[in-house]
Amino acid sequence: MRPRPRPGFDRTTAAAGVSAQFDQDATSYDRLVGANPGYHDHLRLSARRLGLPDGGAGAVLLDVGCGTGLSTAALVETYPQARVVAVDASAEMLARAREKSWPDTVRFVHARAEDMHAALAAEGLEGPFDGLLAAYLVRNLPDRDAGVAVLVDHLAPGAPIAVHEYSVADSAYARGVWSAVCWAVIIPLGWRVTGDAALYRYLWRSVLAFDGLGRLEQRLRDAGLREVHTRPVDGWQRGIVHTVLGRR
């Protein structure tokens, strides 16, 4: 098992460059995550936990950090009556998303989370939004507090948010399982498929360096959310991946 990242891991610098790494690996991303048992089910679970009634009828939802559209698909499947605006900072990941078949209720926008207000306004999609899903996003924000504040600012009063994210800092067992899986499966598979495992080494390091659940929940409260609480997922990722929920 590999050790935790050394103190020299510069999380802010690494996060600032992660969009370029996603651009590089966009064509293989769906294939790699598809090998992860429960990946799609867990996204749908977090989408359901938004708790919107009537299949999302009349709602406009925001999917921030949509990547190749896997979280977008979870929202569309869970809330077929809603409109969905999906945002990502990686142009190549968005290109893969747009190649897929979508209902005309889905729109994609290229923007960093921190800059999406202007990008959404340019598309006539300012919001506020009736629900927000942020899957594997907050960990990758260079300035987490500023990024979370932007997410909250796009929610309508009372609207729910689901932050679907890794967090292992509070559990030695979870850290051990995460490192073992990364070095036995995720990093070697990333290398085999793409010829460059940099993105997957970053994934390992960034998860170990990320907030514990208490710290993440407090970030959301500090940004103005209420009713903040965490719910688990099942399978091998129990204790590793979580849905952190709140309401504006």
Side-chain angles (χ1 to χ4, degrees), residues 40-111:
H40 299 286
D41 288 342
H42 293 160
L43 287 174
R44 288 189 287 266
L45 178 61
S46 286
R48 288 196 300 273
R49 286 171 170 170
L50 288 170
L52 301 173
D54 304 321
V60 184
L61 307 180
L62 189 57
D63 177 20
V64 187
C66 69
T68 61
L70 303 182
S71 52
T72 315
L75 286 173
V76 170
E77 180 176 328
T78 307
Y79 303 110
Q81 303 304 313
R83 290 189 289 146
V84 178
V85 178
V87 179
D88 201 86
S90 165
E92 291 301 319
M93 295 285 273
L94 272 183
R96 303 288 83 74
R98 288 182 171 122
E99 289 172 351
K100 299 174 182 178
S101 178
W102 300 101
D104 59 11
T105 52
V106 175
R107 294 277 298 276
F108 290 98
V109 177
H110 181 216

Side-chain angles (χ1 to χ4, degrees), residues 185-210:
V185 180
I186 295 173
I187 293 170
L189 183 60
W191 175 264
R192 189 176 307 121
V193 172
T194 69
D196 181 358
L199 179 61
Y200 304 97
R201 289 193 298 270
Y202 164 80
L203 172 64
W204 166 65
R205 294 186 178 100
S206 68
V207 171
L208 291 181
F210 188 50

Side-chain angles (χ1 to χ4, degrees), residues 6-20:
R6 296 177 179 176
F9 175 61
D10 187 339
R11 187 207 68 79
T12 302
T13 300
V18 76
S19 291

Side-chain angles (χ1 to χ4, degrees), residues 7-243:
F9 175 61
D10 187 339
R11 187 207 68 79
T12 302
T13 300
V18 76
S19 291
Q21 291 185 326
F22 278 117
D23 281 341
Q24 177 178 310
D25 288 358
T27 57
S28 58
Y29 185 80
D30 285 7
R31 176 183 171 189
L32 285 164
V33 300
N36 180 352
Y39 186 93
H40 299 286
D41 288 342
H42 293 160
L43 287 174
R44 288 189 287 266
L45 178 61
S46 286
R48 288 196 300 273
R49 286 171 170 170
L50 288 170
L52 301 173
D54 304 321
V60 184
L61 307 180
L62 189 57
D63 177 20
V64 187
C66 69
T68 61
L70 303 182
S71 52
T72 315
L75 286 173
V76 170
E77 180 176 328
T78 307
Y79 303 110
Q81 303 304 313
R83 290 189 289 146
V84 178
V85 178
V87 179
D88 201 86
S90 165
E92 291 301 319
M93 295 285 273
L94 272 183
R96 303 288 83 74
R98 288 182 171 122
E99 289 172 351
K100 299 174 182 178
S101 178
W102 300 101
D104 59 11
T105 52
V106 175
R107 294 277 298 276
F108 290 98
V109 177
H110 181 216
R112 297 193 320 152
E114 301 91 330
D115 303 328
M116 68 180 177
H117 182 79
L120 292 173
E123 299 284 340
L125 301 167
E126 297 97 328
F129 294 88
D130 303 300
L132 190 154
L133 176 61
Y136 306 115
L137 170 78
V138 175
R139 172 177 45 87
N140 292 319
L141 294 172
D143 185 333
R144 291 168 180 161
D145 289 333
V148 169
V150 171
L151 300 184
V152 175
D153 189 52
H154 282 78
L155 287 171
I161 182 173
V163 174
H164 180 93
E165 189 57 271
Y166 296 102
S167 178
V168 300
D170 297 335
S171 168
Y173 176 78
R175 292 194 301 272
V177 171
W178 173 246
S179 285
V181 170
C182 281
W183 286 98
V185 180
I186 295 173
I187 293 170
L189 183 60
W191 175 264
R192 189 176 307 121
V193 172
T194 69
D196 181 358
L199 179 61
Y200 304 97
R201 289 193 298 270
Y202 164 80
L203 172 64
W204 166 65
R205 294 186 178 100
S206 68
V207 171
L208 291 181
F210 188 50
D211 295 345
L213 287 173
R215 179 70 186 96
L216 178 55
E217 288 182 356
Q218 191 58 50
R219 283 188 195 275
L220 300 185
R221 293 188 187 98
D222 290 346
L225 293 176
R226 55 188 175 86
E227 300 177 24
V228 176
H229 64 287
T230 298
R231 297 178 67 182
V233 303
D234 57 9
W236 78 268
Q237 289 182 306
R238 186 176 183 87
I240 295 174
V241 172
H242 316 266
T243 314

